[in-house]
Amino acid sequence: MNATSARVADLARLDFLLGELYADAVLAAQRQFRVKADLVGCHGQTLYHQGEAQAFLGRKVAATWQTGEASVVATRVGAPVVSDFRPADMAAGGKGAPLVPYLDYLLFRDPKIGRIVQNIGGIANLTAIPAAADASGVLAFDTGPGNMVIDAIMQALYRKQFDRGGKIGASGKVIESVLERTLRSRFFRAKPPKTAGREEFGREFVREFLRQCGRARKEDVVTTATALTARSIADAVRRFVVPTLGSSAKLREMILSGGGARNATLVAMLAERLAPLGATLRFSDEFGLPSEAKEAMAFAVLAYETWNRRPSSVPSATGAKRAAVLGKISYA
């Protein structure tokens, strides 16, 4: 994503290859569950996302790029496909993310209890839904790294894809000097709306994080990375959510989803940090939404809304001037 050069031919081929692989996945799911899809929502694989406009060839431009050719999926599956969800929001002045808050609002709003819906995927993002709120009262933004930094450090130090159950993170100690220095960086201090990706917390960030950790024990580095995710989430709630929404929001629960919800050490650290705020931790599985399925469900819902020509972005989350009908339709 941050490569200084790439072959255009390879990127074009990748687009069509991913279309074939996505089609394989949809067809396999249809066989497994004995259903026929009427409509497919396909987010695609993000190659680049820059929500803030930057100078480029005489103009200020924001940009996003998701790859995976939807026409290939539509033709092979035999159903229309909605894809490329983010540009419509960006054209309306938004950052193109987060988009999942629309699902959060539909599923988790409550007339009496305010909730923070916290997804911990590669990036961690939250949706704060005050009690009895309408969509305009929702606050949502990326809080920082979710599993991205932990996974990259596990790969670098242990040659493992992730810290299963948070076992290694539980065995070390937090390197407080590194953690405090990292949490002072610009992203964590910036006010929402804000969005993050590998540009902020990818390879270069991890390289610098490891450099700061120096010769610390490997398990301490993993524990510190785990604490970074937990504290950045809790800090975001304390610094931005509570002051913005106030006590009338009645924020009483945080509902976790994503792969990070399976990291017991991360969950324990987060619970400890949230306790002074009076928020109880729960899991989306308790509400009938499997943690790993949340984003898939979200883009199925967004695709359905687009097919029916209804807007499904949340301007208070993305910073857009208006709600937008998201995505592009490829017909079979």
Side-chain angles (χ1 to χ4, degrees):
M1 186 173 287
N2 292 338
T4 55
S5 64
R7 295 186 67 226
V8 174
D10 286 345
L11 293 174
R13 292 166 181 149
L14 179 65
D15 182 40
F16 277 74
L17 173 60
L18 278 174
E20 294 285 352
L21 296 174
Y22 288 146
D24 288 346
V26 175
L27 292 170
Q30 289 186 155
R31 288 192 298 271
Q32 180 178 349
F33 295 103
R34 298 180 182 179
V35 297
K36 175 69 175 71
D38 294 316
L39 180 69
V40 176
C42 185
H43 176 271
Q45 177 64 44
T46 300
L47 289 184
Y48 187 76
H49 185 81
Q50 175 209 311
E52 296 280 354
Q54 296 179 10
F56 179 72
L57 298 181
R59 295 284 186 98
K60 294 199 76 176
V61 177
T64 191
W65 185 9
Q66 277 69 232
T67 193
E69 181 49 59
S71 293
V72 172
V73 182
T75 299
R76 288 207 42 215
V77 174
V81 175
V82 182
S83 64
D84 210 14
F85 290 86
R86 300 190 188 279
D89 178 79
M90 296 175 74
K95 299 181 183 300
L99 298 183
V100 175
Y102 186 78
L103 177 75
D104 292 336
Y105 172 71
L106 290 179
L107 292 184
F108 297 112
R109 58 182 167 173
D110 188 274
K112 297 181 180 179
I113 298 174
R115 288 169 169 157
I116 298 170
V117 186
Q118 180 73 53
N119 185 66
I120 308 177
I123 293 295
N125 48 74
L126 66 75
T127 303
I129 311 168
D134 59 22
S136 64
V138 170
L139 175 65
F141 57 95
D142 289 349
T143 59
N147 304 310
M148 185 176 290
V149 175
I150 304 169
D151 293 350
I153 287 172
M154 286 296 299
Q155 180 65 40
L157 300 183
Y158 290 92
R159 297 292 183 264
K160 294 182 178 180
Q161 291 186 331
F162 59 95
D163 182 13
R164 186 178 297 277
K167 290 182 179 179
I168 294 176
S171 66
K173 295 182 178 180
V174 175
I175 309 169
E176 290 290 345
S177 59
V178 173
L179 180 58
E180 291 174 7
R181 190 180 307 121
T182 303
L183 287 171
R184 287 196 295 267
S185 65
R186 187 182 68 85
F187 178 85
F188 298 115
R189 291 184 285 107
K191 295 180 179 179
K194 57 182 178 177
T195 182
R198 292 192 183 278
E199 297 86 353
E200 288 80 16
F201 298 108
R203 181 178 56 203
E204 292 81 4
F205 178 91
V206 171
R207 185 184 300 128
E208 175 60 19
F209 189 88
L210 288 169
R211 188 194 68 77
Q212 291 186 27
C213 290
R215 296 185 179 181
R217 299 187 309 160
K218 292 194 294 184
E219 55 267 39
D220 292 347
V221 178
V222 176
T223 303
T224 305
T226 306
L228 173 63
T229 294
R231 290 197 195 178
S232 60
I233 292 171
D235 284 355
V237 173
R238 177 180 55 81
R239 295 173 65 179
F240 303 122
V241 176
V242 173
T244 301
L245 298 182
S247 60
S248 63
K250 300 179 182 178
L251 298 172
R252 299 289 182 266
E253 296 179 342
M254 175 176 278
I255 301 170
L256 294 182
S257 63
R262 303 288 186 244
N263 184 323
T265 302
L266 173 56
V267 172
M269 287 180 174
L270 185 54
E272 180 182 0
R273 289 280 160 176
L274 288 174
L277 301 175
T280 302
L281 277 187
R282 300 183 67 183
F283 297 88
S284 68
D285 304 70
E286 299 175 42
F287 297 83
L289 176 56
S291 296
E292 293 85 351
K294 182 182 175 184
E295 291 203 351
M297 181 181 287
F299 284 98
V301 169
L302 295 182
Y304 179 79
E305 296 293 73
T306 298
W307 184 254
N308 288 283
R309 301 184 181 183
R310 291 193 290 258
S312 56
S313 61
V314 180
S316 60
T318 67
K321 298 180 180 68
R322 57 172 176 79
V325 178
L326 302 177
K328 299 162 187 173
I329 299 174
S330 302
Y331 293 91

